[in-house]
Amino acid sequence: MIERTISDTILRISSAWPVLFLTGPRQVGKSSVLNMLKEKGRKYVSLDSISARDLAVNDPQAFLQKYSPPVIIDEVQYAPNLFSYIKIWVDEHRYEYKFGGRKSADPAGAFWLTGSQKFALMKGVQESLAGRVAIIDLLGFSYKEIVGKPKESNPFWPDEIDTRKETVTRTVMEVYRDIWNGSFPELIVNPAIGRDKFFSSYMQTYIERDVRDYQGVTNELKFYRFARAAAVRTGNLMNYEDLARDCDIDRRTAQKWLDTLQASGLVYLLPPYSSNLTNRIIKTPKIYFLDTGLACFLANIDTQQALEASYLNGAMLETHAFCEILKSFWHNGKDTRNLYFYRDANKKEVDFVLEKNMTLYPVEVKKTTMPSSNDYANKGIIENLKKSKPVGKGAVICLSPNITPIPKADAVAVPVWEL
């Protein structure tokens, strides 16, 4: 079992909250990590089981009597009606603990829930379990988890990077092999199952169980074409009209289907940075697939060599860097509300802008082994950013063999495998 960065986060949060909700795409290891961490006596039930789901939907009180806390309830999106009953249980036991003098009734860590339809569940979670639930996001393995260094996966901040740290040099093709393979645990732990077979089965299961049955999408073939069209746009501005035209659907359907991909944790829409909050909401976001292996499969890229030579090599490298940054935050229990990209009126961009303590940290991603100040955000963009908030140390995520300061720029070169 590969150790996960999120393990310490789960135990820490579970010690203070009665309900922990672990969300993420299918097959990223949600139930595996919880079962690995569960203490003796904690029950486990999956609502993928028809009998368990039927009981949870039709007789939730009997369900909670049969699977009494502490319990893991897997794929809870199939019975969102459970939330109100979990709320009642938590409130009753909180009262007993506070006023009845019964220490054994402490509800901390009582419910560990998992779900692979985060946004579809949020309304029910927030309405029923507000103040009672901690929500944590899980993605596939980070590179540091794969190489056995989960404790080194800290939230990525350019001003906290140790330029004295020694790194292990990796080749360009090794990096693109990682990008092409992706980060789904099953493929990493058991590569003999076959990459193409895994992703083909994944998409078939996803469309049949989440898209058709849960989201009500009836034209499965068109949705698959839509997912492929979205994959080749990873790392780019979201253009609904172009996407709809390529898939022979209308704009409204394109937006709905993209919401479906987002709800199931397969894509992330990164908002643009603006000092005006309203502008952030109305401006066009960038789309990122949250597993580069799946994106490559959908884009019909058959080998790592083909990926490195393709027109998508830069976008896939940027997507890989974005996913690693996202994991560094999410798996440590940190949110990413202050993660953006920047694009000015002249269409000049900064790939990512991180904000902390009212300071902005620009980050670029470049396919180079020797980044220079020319690879960092140009002076005009930096000056524009400074008009809204102070700008701190930046970073160029690249293929450099070492972590090194960039001459003539307040920035540091960071190998992508050090995120």
Side-chain angles (χ1 to χ4, degrees):
M1 181 70 71
I2 293 179
E3 187 178 356
R4 304 300 303 262
T5 301
I6 205 169
S7 295
D8 288 344
T9 302
I10 289 170
L11 294 177
R12 171 174 51 83
I13 291 176
S14 182
S15 68
W17 290 80
V19 184
L20 180 144
F21 179 30
L22 184 63
T23 183
R26 286 188 176 274
Q27 299 190 38
V28 293
K30 298 185 296 296
S31 59
S32 295
V33 72
L34 291 183
N35 276 298
M36 182 177 66
L37 294 174
K38 73 176 183 178
E39 70 278 28
K40 185 178 180 180
R42 183 178 290 272
K43 303 176 183 70
Y44 171 83
V45 58
S46 174
L47 297 191
D48 273 335
S49 164
I50 297 298
S51 59
R53 188 189 310 177
D54 180 65
L55 184 62
V57 170
N58 294 307
D59 196 346
Q61 287 182 318
F63 176 87
L64 290 181
Q65 287 175 358
K66 182 176 182 178
Y67 301 104
S68 57
V71 62
I72 300 170
I73 305 177
D74 206 359
E75 300 298 352
V76 73
Q77 72 266 13
Y78 290 119
N81 58 306
L82 274 178
F83 295 142
S84 59
Y85 291 88
I86 291 173
K87 172 186 179 295
I88 293 170
W89 188 98
V90 169
D91 289 350
E92 287 177 349
H93 286 73
R94 269 183 167 177
Y95 182 85
E96 290 179 2
Y97 177 64
K98 288 181 178 180
F99 303 108
R102 295 171 54 189
K103 292 289 185 181
S104 60
D106 180 5
F111 294 92
W112 289 358
L113 312 178
T114 82
S116 51
Q117 290 286 340
K118 176 181 176 182
F119 297 102
L121 287 169
M122 282 305 96
K123 182 178 179 181
V125 169
Q126 291 168 349
E127 288 180 354
S128 300
L129 296 174
R132 303 164 184 85
V133 61
I135 301 167
I136 313 174
D137 297 278
L138 180 67
L139 293 175
F141 287 144
S142 68
Y143 175 73
K144 288 184 178 177
E145 288 173 335
I146 293 172
V147 298
K149 298 179 180 180
K151 305 294 186 184
E152 293 185 15
S153 182
N154 300 312
F156 174 75
W157 292 107
D159 63 330
E160 296 178 8
I161 295 170
D162 184 1
T163 57
R164 299 166 298 176
K165 180 181 179 180
E166 294 185 4
T167 67
V168 177
T169 301
R170 306 190 73 226
T171 66
V172 172
M173 202 51 66
E174 285 174 332
V175 172
Y176 276 94
R177 180 192 62 201
D178 294 341
I179 297 172
W180 184 74
N181 279 334
S183 62
F184 280 104
E186 184 67 22
L187 267 181
I188 303 300
V189 174
N190 184 22
I193 64 174
R195 175 186 174 277
D196 286 357
K197 182 63 177 176
F198 173 84
F199 284 126
S200 177
S201 299
Y202 186 91
M203 287 303 298
Q204 180 178 347
T205 302
Y206 167 65
I207 289 175
E208 288 178 353
R209 297 177 67 178
D210 288 342
V211 174
R212 185 185 66 193
D213 295 342
Y214 193 69
Q215 295 289 347
V217 175
T218 56
N219 195 323
E220 299 172 25
L221 182 59
K222 275 196 173 183
F223 185 88
Y224 186 79
R225 286 172 54 197
F226 173 83
R228 292 181 60 185
V232 299
R233 287 167 166 81
T234 187
N236 288 281
L237 290 174
M238 189 66 255
N239 187 314
Y240 291 103
E241 285 78 10
D242 285 351
L243 187 57
R245 184 173 57 252
D246 288 354
C247 301
D248 193 26
I249 56 178
D250 57 48
R251 189 183 194 279
R252 183 177 178 182
T253 301
Q255 287 180 295
K256 179 182 177 182
W257 286 1
L258 190 68
D259 287 344
T260 298
L261 290 175
Q262 189 180 15
S264 45
L266 295 189
V267 304
Y268 187 102
L269 296 181
L270 182 66
Y273 175 76
S274 172
S275 56
N276 185 307
L277 181 59
T278 302
N279 286 343
R280 294 183 200 174
I281 296 171
I282 63 175
K283 285 187 176 180
T284 304
K286 288 175 74 172
I287 179 174
Y288 289 98
F289 259 70
L290 293 181
D291 185 84
T292 53
L294 180 60
C296 288
F297 171 79
L298 290 170
N300 278 339
I301 300 175
D302 294 331
T303 66
Q304 63 216 44
Q305 291 83 4
L307 171 61
E308 193 276 332
S310 79
Y311 76 97
L312 287 173
N313 67 63
M316 288 294 182
L317 179 63
E318 182 180 324
T319 300
H320 175 62
F322 176 77
C323 290
E324 292 294 295
I325 291 173
L326 209 60
K327 292 169 191 175
S328 79
F329 283 91
W330 280 358
H331 294 179
N332 282 287
K334 307 295 183 182
D335 67 59
T336 51
R337 287 176 294 176
N338 291 333
L339 174 59
Y340 315 97
F341 74 95
Y342 179 78
R343 181 181 174 93
D344 67 17
N346 297 317
K347 298 184 180 180
K348 293 180 179 179
E349 289 191 14
V350 176
D351 291 329
F352 314 128
V353 175
L354 290 79
E355 183 178 359
K356 178 179 66 172
N357 297 330
M358 301 298 290
T359 300
L360 305 177
Y361 299 89
V363 178
E364 292 277 23
V365 182
K366 299 293 182 182
K367 187 189 174 187
T368 178
T369 57
M370 297 181 63
S372 67
S373 58
N374 292 330
D375 294 307
Y376 185 52
N378 68 45
K379 185 176 180 181
I381 290 180
I382 298 298
E383 292 305 316
N384 282 340
L385 288 172
K386 285 181 177 179
K387 293 176 182 177
S388 61
K389 289 175 184 173
V391 173
K393 184 180 291 293
V396 176
I397 299 170
C398 57
L399 304 174
S400 167
N402 299 298
I403 299 173
T404 55
I406 297 176
K408 301 180 181 179
D410 186 18
V412 61
V414 183
V416 68
W417 53 91
E418 285 296 332
L419 293 175

